[in-house]
Amino acid sequence: MLSIQNLYAGYGSLEVLKDIGIDLQDHQCVGIFGHNGAGKTTLLRSIIGAVVPTSGRLTWDGEELPYGDVPATVKRGIAFVPQGHNVFPNLSVEKNLVIAGALFGEAFLSEVLQLFPVLQERRSQRAGSMSGGEQQMLALGMALMTKPKWLLLDEPSTGLAPVIVRNVMDGLRDVNRRFGTGILVVEQNVPATLKLVERAIILKSGQIVFDGSRDELSAKKDLWEWF
Ligand SMILES: Nc1ncnc2c1ncn2[C@@H]1O[C@H](COP(=O)(O)OP(=O)(O)OP(=O)(O)O)[C@@H](O)[C@H]1O
Ligand SMILES: [Mg+2]
């Protein structure tokens, strides 16, 4: 279990996250929602080690995560797909995947290519010449090259057409089912994400204002009070 307890984090004198507590069961698929500036990205950055919390604890099966040390956190089994198309545009699809897997070798390459046939078809194409959706699949594939137990994603559907959003969500579901990878996904597209996740958390001004099942959130009529 990945456990976040009494977490406070921010930037200099700006306190963003206030007393966040979340227990994430292995293999869970969880969505994080909230208005702009609510602290969603800061939460993912705190887990991956790009932001050092001011106080609180981040543990995995009782062991503390390496605060502020991204490579060590990735080695521990957590991967992060930041917002935007984070690929090396001038390198081929295959080179992008190989570089992403440098810490772990290329053993996982064939599995990633199998999971995303579009990457197999385009493996020698320059990544920057692929469509936004294809680049997002590549960014996902790159994160998977580290064989993560947890995958953190920051708005993976931004800028994608609805049909491509569905492909990305289906890809995430496959990753969760086939590899048992836990998924923590920040999204603005609540309806599309609720088809994927089993649990939803809403952040407002750095605090959790809702944490419950997908069905509980779907049934809420006053959802927009939080946005
Ligand atoms: N590097 C930074 N330095 C200073 N302040 C920052 C930095 N990054 C974010 N902030 C501030 O922290 C607050 C939370 O930002 P964060 O990026 O976590 O929000 P978010 O919920 O991801 O928003 P969005 O939906 O717009 O992506 C905002 O007020 C933002 O201006
Ligand atoms: Mg953000």
Side-chain angles (χ1 to χ4, degrees):
M1 183 174 72
L2 199 56
S3 179
I4 302 165
Q5 294 162 2
N6 311 109
L7 185 83
Y8 288 76
Y11 306 91
S13 59
L14 177 69
E15 188 173 69
V16 177
L17 299 178
K18 298 162 200 120
D19 200 18
I20 300 290
I22 306 170
D23 280 338
L24 297 161
Q25 306 299 330
D26 290 347
H27 319 305
Q28 234 183 4
C29 232
V30 180
I32 303 215
F33 309 118
H35 60 80
N36 295 119
K40 305 179 297 295
T41 299
T42 305
L43 177 58
L44 296 188
R45 283 194 193 135
S46 302
I47 299 172
I48 199 68
V51 164
V52 184
T54 339
S55 62
R57 291 187 82 210
L58 288 163
T59 57
W60 191 349
D61 292 341
E63 211 177 286
E64 299 224 29
L65 286 182
Y67 299 99
D69 188 341
V70 178
T73 309
V74 173
K75 274 191 186 151
R76 182 81 174 74
I78 302 178
F80 179 40
V81 183
Q83 200 174 359
H85 304 129
N86 290 280
V87 302
F88 300 105
N90 291 321
L91 301 181
S92 71
V93 166
E94 183 168 346
K95 258 270 171 319
N96 267 277
L97 291 170
V98 168
I99 286 173
L103 273 175
F104 297 81
E106 293 172 31
F108 217 42
L109 181 62
S110 60
E111 282 174 83
V112 170
L113 290 173
Q114 214 182 334
L115 184 66
F116 299 119
V118 65
L119 301 183
Q120 171 71 43
E121 288 158 24
R122 311 289 179 101
R123 61 194 283 177
S124 51
Q125 185 173 333
R126 201 175 63 85
S129 68
M130 300 208 299
S131 75
E134 290 161 354
Q135 289 188 38
Q136 191 55 268
M137 294 293 183
L138 177 56
L140 250 175
M142 288 167 74
L144 288 176
M145 288 297 288
T146 64
K147 294 191 213 169
K149 303 246 170 31
W150 275 97
L151 189 54
L152 316 181
L153 301 115
D154 199 355
E155 304 198 18
S157 82
T158 302
L160 303 180
V163 61
I164 312 296
V165 172
R166 223 168 302 140
N167 289 347
V168 171
M169 294 298 168
D170 288 349
L172 289 174
R173 184 177 297 109
D174 279 355
V175 168
N176 178 254
R177 293 211 178 131
R178 281 166 70 165
F179 305 128
T181 312
I183 297 205
L184 188 60
V185 57
V186 163
E187 259 301 339
Q188 299 285 352
N189 190 336
V190 181
T193 311
L194 284 182
K195 294 198 180 99
L196 166 73
V197 300
E198 64 209 79
R199 174 180 171 193
I201 292 169
I202 299 180
L203 283 183
K204 185 174 183 181
S205 305
Q207 290 180 300
I208 294 176
V209 290
F210 177 89
D211 182 355
S213 70
R214 174 243 317 262
D215 296 341
E216 221 177 303
L217 184 64
S218 305
K220 286 260 178 214
K221 299 214 163 44
D222 51 357
L223 187 66
W224 303 111
E225 78 183 65
W226 288 315
F227 289 88

